[in-house]
Amino acid sequence: MLETKNDIDFASNNEILINEIVAQMEKELQMCGEQHTFQTASPIALIQELASFFIELKSTQRLSNIVYRIDINLKAKGVGLHETERVAELAWDRVFQKVWFRKKYRETQNTSGPKLY
């Protein structure tokens, strides 16, 4: 699977519940005007399910909107929109990062205590 600069990726996740990541992905899709409820629960199956969803879109503009919303730089990764499974993998990794960073930020906010100036 894809490794990120932060050494976190969707497939090797052992910190965050998969349903939190799936819920975030469904939210990302909804914010693009797309509806999809994921039926699988393993990372590999979710990547394949998302890739199939991308194929069903039959519109590069709709897929581009999703890629933009999720915040994936396909050019930097050397990936084209037609590589739906790779785009799906990058999408899941990016959504996982969002959930992971949000969780880590909350943890640091809760443990930092009051600030003295």
Side-chain angles (χ1 to χ4, degrees):
M1 287 293 158
L2 173 75
E3 280 196 27
T4 64
K5 292 179 185 175
N6 301 309
D7 293 330
I8 57 172
D9 71 283
F10 179 61
S12 65
N13 167 45
N14 59 5
E15 293 183 46
I16 299 173
L17 296 174
I18 198 85
N19 63 345
E20 292 179 54
I21 303 164
V22 169
Q24 182 64 38
M25 179 63 81
E26 289 173 351
K27 180 181 171 184
E28 298 283 347
L29 294 175
Q30 288 172 359
M31 294 186 83
C32 294
E34 306 294 342
Q35 293 288 87
H36 185 76
T37 303
F38 290 92
Q39 304 300 313
T40 55
S42 74
I44 292 172
L46 286 166
I47 290 168
Q48 292 170 345
E49 186 176 345
L50 185 59
S52 295
F53 175 74
F54 288 162
I55 291 169
E56 291 171 12
L57 290 176
K58 297 180 182 170
S59 165
T60 55
Q61 184 58 48
R62 289 169 65 192
L63 181 53
S64 292
N65 290 343
I66 293 169
V67 167
Y68 180 78
R69 167 70 193 144
I70 293 173
D71 189 27
I72 308 167
N73 186 347
L74 294 180
K75 287 183 182 178
K77 303 289 183 185
V79 177
L81 282 177
H82 63 283
E83 299 174 74
T84 55
E85 191 159 332
R86 186 74 171 115
V87 173
E89 183 180 350
L90 291 169
W92 279 113
D93 283 346
R94 182 64 182 118
V95 168
F96 171 71
Q97 286 177 345
K98 289 180 181 185
V99 174
W100 187 87
F101 282 116
R102 188 179 312 123
K103 182 177 180 172
K104 292 298 176 188
Y105 178 76
R106 282 189 199 134
E107 287 174 3
T108 59
Q109 292 300 310
N110 292 336
T111 60
S112 63
K115 294 183 180 180
L116 301 174
Y117 293 102

